[in-house]
Amino acid sequence: ETHGVTFRIQISVKEVLDTDVLLKLLFHLPVSYPSTLPDISVNSDQLTRAQCMDVKDKLLEQAKKHLSETMVYDLILWIQQHLQYVIKQSATVCNEKTALSKQESTEDGTWMLLLHLDHMRAKAKYTKTVEKWASDLRLTGRLMFMGKIILILLQGDKNNIKEYLILQKTSKVDVDSSGKKCKEKMISVLCETNVQSQHKRFQTFEVKEYSTLNELQKEFETAGLTTLFSEFVPPLLK
């Protein structure tokens, strides 16, 4: 009632790039849908990450044409008919998009997200999954452990940050008390904002453990995030 509906659809598109392409589409429909656009995530073993992002962008472009109308079925039909064109166009503009992406990767265009996780039962698998998502989405930052505190700090393109959140909330990343795979239900978004000039840009994504709160605080201070630390981290100890 408050978060809307999330569902996955798998479709096979014939003879694209001389092979059948299996598209895995994830739609999150907010409670205000269809007056609000759905969040869309696209994955495929036959396509590169960049191509999946291009498919997602094209689907969102089409979704805007159907605003205030139920649209998911129309979007699926559209991508089945136009996937070959989208992939061909993606290959043509690949180099230009890469150059443009580097040019636009300025402080104003970079977004930052701070998440708090309540726990990790399958720590090794969970950590590996977070690292893979960050790599796939070209996000930098830290997965931080300090005692019982678990924080994920991410920097990168706003759309990629948004897609990370969808993956984090809808994928089976952990196990429950009986050892069965489960989705992350105890995650808090502490802060989501654009990176300011006083903030340091992380160059990589790293997993780090800290023995004391002081060590964790220094990590934030080094990145110019003293205010972020003071506002959100100490309350987690209460």
Side-chain angles (χ1 to χ4, degrees), residues 71-114:
M71 66 184 76
V72 173
Y73 181 68
D74 291 325
L75 295 179
I76 292 169
L77 287 180
W78 186 90
I79 199 58
Q80 284 179 310
Q81 296 167 2
H82 295 85
L83 181 61
Q84 191 160 5
Y85 166 76
V86 173
I87 299 307
K88 190 178 294 185
Q89 187 182 49
S90 174
T92 303
V93 300
C94 180
N95 292 334
E96 289 86 345
K97 283 188 70 176
T98 300
L100 185 61
S101 175
K102 289 179 180 178
Q103 180 182 344
E104 291 179 345
S105 184
T106 60
E107 290 168 351
D108 289 341
T110 304
W111 210 250
M112 180 168 60
L113 176 72
L114 180 63

Side-chain angles (χ1 to χ4, degrees), residues 148-205:
K148 292 185 177 181
I149 293 179
I150 306 171
L151 299 170
I152 301 176
L153 179 62
L154 298 170
Q155 292 179 346
D157 178 81
K158 186 176 180 179
N159 288 331
N160 290 3
I161 291 276
K162 199 170 184 179
E163 184 162 354
Y164 177 92
L165 264 178
I166 294 174
L167 289 170
Q168 180 76 66
K169 292 178 179 179
T170 59
S171 303
K172 291 184 177 181
V173 290
D174 207 0
V175 296
D176 59 22
S177 55
S178 64
K180 184 179 178 182
K181 291 181 180 180
C182 65
K183 296 177 184 178
E184 178 58 73
K185 296 180 179 178
M186 302 185 73
I187 185 171
S188 303
V189 178
L190 301 180
C191 180
E192 188 176 358
T193 184
N194 60 323
V195 172
Q196 304 296 323
S197 57
Q198 70 269 26
H199 300 152
K200 175 187 172 184
R201 287 289 309 278
F202 291 109
Q203 299 302 310
T204 59
F205 183 84

Side-chain angles (χ1 to χ4, degrees), residues 4 6 17 41 51 78 83 100 118 143 187 189 209 228-229:
T6 299
L17 303 176
S41 179
Q51 288 171 329
W78 186 90
L83 181 61
L100 185 61
D118 184 75
L143 169 55
I187 185 171
V189 178
E209 303 214 15
L228 189 72
F229 175 89

Side-chain angles (χ1 to χ4, degrees), residues 36-137:
T36 303
L37 293 178
D39 287 324
I40 303 172
S41 179
V42 178
N43 284 286
S44 175
D45 293 336
Q46 289 81 37
L47 302 181
T48 65
R49 189 71 208 169
Q51 288 171 329
C52 287
M53 293 294 289
D54 285 336
V55 172
K56 172 188 169 181
D57 290 343
K58 293 298 182 184
L59 283 172
L60 287 173
E61 283 180 19
Q62 291 301 310
K64 290 175 184 176
K65 299 177 182 179
H66 295 277
L67 199 59
S68 299
E69 306 171 7
T70 53
M71 66 184 76
V72 173
Y73 181 68
D74 291 325
L75 295 179
I76 292 169
L77 287 180
W78 186 90
I79 199 58
Q80 284 179 310
Q81 296 167 2
H82 295 85
L83 181 61
Q84 191 160 5
Y85 166 76
V86 173
I87 299 307
K88 190 178 294 185
Q89 187 182 49
S90 174
T92 303
V93 300
C94 180
N95 292 334
E96 289 86 345
K97 283 188 70 176
T98 300
L100 185 61
S101 175
K102 289 179 180 178
Q103 180 182 344
E104 291 179 345
S105 184
T106 60
E107 290 168 351
D108 289 341
T110 304
W111 210 250
M112 180 168 60
L113 176 72
L114 180 63
L115 301 173
H116 173 239
L117 302 182
D118 184 75
H119 62 271
M120 282 185 184
R121 286 194 173 93
K123 183 177 177 180
K125 178 181 178 298
Y126 203 137
T127 298
K128 188 175 180 180
T129 300
V130 171
E131 288 181 301
K132 183 179 186 307
W133 287 343
S135 174
D136 287 347
L137 294 167

